[in-house]
């Protein structure tokens, strides 16, 4: 499989095709030892709580609350939040390792809690001290959780969720088509498009009565707050228990103090490219879970074919993890063909998750079809990781990876 990586790199348009100098590959980055406690706690929660209930969590109607309570009890729902608000402020590499561990035990819990981390970071960066101080300590402790919805901003064509400046704030109209965790989460960070095509990110609760201190000033004229309605949870083949809804907004008023930031398409595109490896921890975790099933089958069935496959996938998962670490190193962004290499690694991780789950099913045989068996869950989870945070460039790289070699 190492050869496969080398072949793939050879095919990617590299430095010489654009006339830039050849560069050496950046070194891998290792986590500070002080962060080990975070990962040990994550492992403990996974082994004791998430893992034993993973099939149940997958088949539930909504996110399994006990999983979130267990993560919160170790402060892990504040992993991305600055220490001044009670968070763990873990380095990016530790957050990746944490996510991989969780994803190797329970995909739906991993995904739902990941939405909370992104939203919490944005609120912690808000200019409003009142908003930060009211919300972020509770988000860090997991006493409340926040959803996030901005993927729709990537879509071409007329905006699906529009924003207009109004007296004292902003009004939103349209649909946020993907909002995960709704119900477990009672607040959301929404991205919407302004008339000039730029983007605005705002915080909104489902019910402003939950946060009276944040609505004491700056109401709309004539007390016209507009409407926010959430759909029922979308029926899904994978992540069905993620409580993913569509939120419909009609002239929904957001006070100026709840505007988090403004940005534009070019910045989003740049961030998507620079962060293309951010979404690899979940598929690698999924592949690790498939590998565990293979290793278990190898030990119980004692077939040389399964032993061989387990060894091959162990090597490949480890190699993929190393490549992600190497290319997530901040120095790597300076490499001229960084993006071409990184998006190829992202596509590899997507395909590896699917292929490892498929191998696990093959080795387990018929009982892998049981809803009580994790192998069928993993193949469905890998389907979700294929489209999560998908950009046109990730789609292209994934399809190229999946096409038959000619
Ligand atoms: C179960 C589930 C839960 C989710 N939860 C959340 C959530 O909580 N928050 C959130 O923000 N997102 C969420 N998402 C969205 C997810 O991260 C992906 O963005 C989404 O799955 C991509 O699918 P889409 O149909 O929205 O694709 P699109 O975004 O419509 O398309 C994918 C990419 O291809 C590009 N593209 C598509 N067609 C064209 C074209 N004709 N020309 C040029 N470019 C094109 C788009 O610009 C985009 O970059 C969720 C998705 C799922 C399936």
């Amino acid at each position: 499989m190492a050869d496969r990586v080398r072949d793939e790199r050879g095919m990617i348009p590299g430095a010489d095709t654009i006339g830039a100098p050849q560069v050496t590959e950046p070194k891998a980055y290792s986590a500070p030892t002080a962060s080990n406690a975070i990962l040990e706690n994550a492992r403990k929660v996974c082994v004791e709580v998430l893992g034993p209930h993973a099939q149940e969590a997958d088949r539930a109607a909504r996110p399994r609350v006990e999983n979130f309570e267990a993560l919160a009890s170790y402060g892990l729902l504040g992993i991305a939040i600055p220490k001044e608000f009670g968070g763990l402020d873990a380095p990016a590499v530790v957050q990746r390792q944490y996510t991989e561990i969780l994803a190797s035990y329970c995909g739906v819990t991993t995904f739902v809690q990941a939405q909370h981390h992104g939203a919490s970071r944005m609120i912690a960066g808000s200019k409003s001290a009142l908003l930060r101080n009211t919300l972020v300590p509770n988000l860090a402790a997991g006493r409340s959780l926040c959803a996030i919805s901005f993927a729709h901003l990537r879509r071409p064509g007329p905006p699906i969720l529009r924003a207009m400046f109004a007296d004292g704030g902003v009004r939103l109209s349209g649909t946020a088509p993907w909002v995960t965790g709704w119900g477990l989460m009672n607040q959301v960070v929404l991205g919407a498009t302004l008339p000039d095509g730029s983007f605005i990110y705002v915080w909104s609760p489902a019910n402003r009565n939950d946060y009276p201190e944040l609505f004491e000033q700056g109401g709309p004229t004539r007390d016209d707050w507009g409407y926010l309605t959430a759909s029922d949870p979308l029926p899904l083949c994978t992540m069905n228990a993620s409580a993913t809804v569509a939120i419909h907004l009609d002239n929904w008023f957001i006070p100026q103090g709840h505007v988090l930031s403004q940005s534009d398409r070019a910045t989003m595109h740049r961030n998507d490219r620079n962060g293309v490896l951010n979404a690899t921890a979940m598929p690698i975790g999924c592949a690790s879970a498939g590998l565990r099933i293979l290793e278990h089958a190898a030990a119980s069935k004692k077939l040389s074919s399964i032993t061989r496959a387990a060894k091959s996938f162990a090597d490949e998962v480890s190699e993929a993890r190393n490549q992600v670490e190497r290319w997530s190193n901040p120095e790597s962004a300076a490499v001229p063909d960084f993006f071409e290499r990184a998006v190829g690694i992202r596509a590899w991780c997507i395909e590896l998750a699917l292929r490892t789950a498929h191998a696990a099913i093959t080795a387990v045989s018929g009982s892998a079809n049981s809803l009580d068996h994790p192998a069928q869950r993993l193949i469905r989870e890998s389907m979700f990781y294929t489209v999560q945070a998908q950009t046109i460039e990730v789609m292209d790289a994934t399809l190229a990876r999946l096409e038959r070699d000619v």
Side-chain angles (χ1 to χ4, degrees), residues 267-390:
T267 306
M268 181 177 226
H269 183 58
R270 195 168 55 245
N271 291 344
D272 278 341
R273 287 172 70 96
N274 290 340
V276 69
L277 290 173
N278 291 352
T280 53
M282 287 188 217
I284 292 181
C286 182
S288 302
L291 178 58
R292 281 205 299 270
I293 296 173
L294 271 175
E295 287 170 343
H296 183 264
S300 63
K301 295 193 176 178
K302 301 197 180 353
L303 290 173
S304 61
S305 54
I306 304 180
T307 307
R308 185 196 63 227
K311 168 80 176 74
S312 168
F313 277 101
D315 290 347
E316 190 178 351
V317 170
S318 163
E319 168 106 27
R321 186 185 292 120
N322 288 342
Q323 289 296 325
V324 168
E325 284 314 314
R326 183 180 294 270
W327 289 95
S328 298
N329 179 334
E331 287 171 21
S332 65
V335 175
D337 63 350
F338 159 76
F339 181 72
E340 287 73 15
R341 288 177 178 241
V343 78
I345 294 167
R346 166 85 170 269
W348 177 22
C349 293
I350 286 171
E351 186 246 354
L352 177 58
L354 180 71
R355 196 155 35 83
T356 315
H358 200 181
I361 287 170
T362 309
V364 169
S365 307
S367 56
N369 279 262
S370 164
L371 287 176
D372 293 330
H373 201 286
Q376 52 78 31
R377 171 174 58 78
L378 296 180
I379 210 159
R380 287 185 287 105
E381 288 174 0
S382 73
M383 172 184 159
F384 171 71
Y385 303 138
T386 305
V387 298
Q388 181 184 25
Q390 187 187 50

Side-chain angles (χ1 to χ4, degrees), residues 77-401:
L77 293 177
I79 192 168
I81 296 178
K83 291 196 170 133
E84 62 180 295
F85 299 109
L88 298 174
D89 200 15
V93 63
V94 177
Q95 291 188 43
R96 276 197 299 282
Q97 290 169 353
Y98 161 81
T99 305
E100 182 189 325
I101 294 168
L102 256 62
S104 78
Y105 284 88
C106 182
V108 70
T109 303
T110 312
F111 168 51
V112 174
Q113 60 90 53
Q115 304 307 91
H116 162 79
H117 299 314
S120 302
R121 265 198 307 271
M122 289 185 76
I123 299 168
S126 149
K127 286 199 197 88
S128 163
L130 177 63
L131 199 72
R132 289 196 308 268
N133 295 336
T134 307
L135 298 177
V136 186
N138 287 325
L139 296 170
R143 285 187 291 272
S144 56
L145 299 170
C146 189
I148 187 163
S149 185
F150 69 89
H152 51 272
L153 297 177
R154 295 194 184 99
R155 290 185 178 176
I160 187 169
L161 182 57
R162 285 167 284 105
M164 294 272 282
F165 283 110
D167 266 358
V170 183
R171 287 191 181 273
L172 303 189
S173 289
T175 300
W178 303 112
V179 184
T180 287
W182 202 241
L184 179 71
M185 304 178 178
N186 66 348
Q187 51 190 308
V188 59
V189 170
L190 294 161
T193 307
L194 287 161
D196 67 358
S198 66
F199 300 151
I200 190 163
Y201 297 88
V202 303
W203 171 84
S204 177
N207 182 348
R208 59 185 170 276
N209 296 330
D210 291 344
Y211 300 91
E213 65 277 48
L214 295 178
F215 288 89
E216 278 166 5
Q217 301 160 347
T221 47
R222 296 188 300 281
D223 213 30
D224 172 15
W225 289 91
Y227 299 93
L228 178 153
T229 47
S231 73
D232 287 337
L234 306 174
L236 300 165
C237 144
T238 174
M239 304 293 174
N240 188 53
S242 63
T244 298
V245 302
I247 288 186
H248 305 287
L249 301 145
D250 183 5
N251 230 14
W252 183 242
F253 183 78
I254 307 286
Q256 186 58 42
H258 301 178
V259 172
L260 301 176
S261 60
Q262 282 184 245
S263 185
D264 53 37
R265 187 168 291 280
T267 306
M268 181 177 226
H269 183 58
R270 195 168 55 245
N271 291 344
D272 278 341
R273 287 172 70 96
N274 290 340
V276 69
L277 290 173
N278 291 352
T280 53
M282 287 188 217
I284 292 181
C286 182
S288 302
L291 178 58
R292 281 205 299 270
I293 296 173
L294 271 175
E295 287 170 343
H296 183 264
S300 63
K301 295 193 176 178
K302 301 197 180 353
L303 290 173
S304 61
S305 54
I306 304 180
T307 307
R308 185 196 63 227
K311 168 80 176 74
S312 168
F313 277 101
D315 290 347
E316 190 178 351
V317 170
S318 163
E319 168 106 27
R321 186 185 292 120
N322 288 342
Q323 289 296 325
V324 168
E325 284 314 314
R326 183 180 294 270
W327 289 95
S328 298
N329 179 334
E331 287 171 21
S332 65
V335 175
D337 63 350
F338 159 76
F339 181 72
E340 287 73 15
R341 288 177 178 241
V343 78
I345 294 167
R346 166 85 170 269
W348 177 22
C349 293
I350 286 171
E351 186 246 354
L352 177 58
L354 180 71
R355 196 155 35 83
T356 315
H358 200 181
I361 287 170
T362 309
V364 169
S365 307
S367 56
N369 279 262
S370 164
L371 287 176
D372 293 330
H373 201 286
Q376 52 78 31
R377 171 174 58 78
L378 296 180
I379 210 159
R380 287 185 287 105
E381 288 174 0
S382 73
M383 172 184 159
F384 171 71
Y385 303 138
T386 305
V387 298
Q388 181 184 25
Q390 187 187 50
T391 64
I392 193 76
E393 290 161 320
V394 170
M395 182 196 284
D396 182 11
T398 310
L399 289 171
R401 175 101 202 171

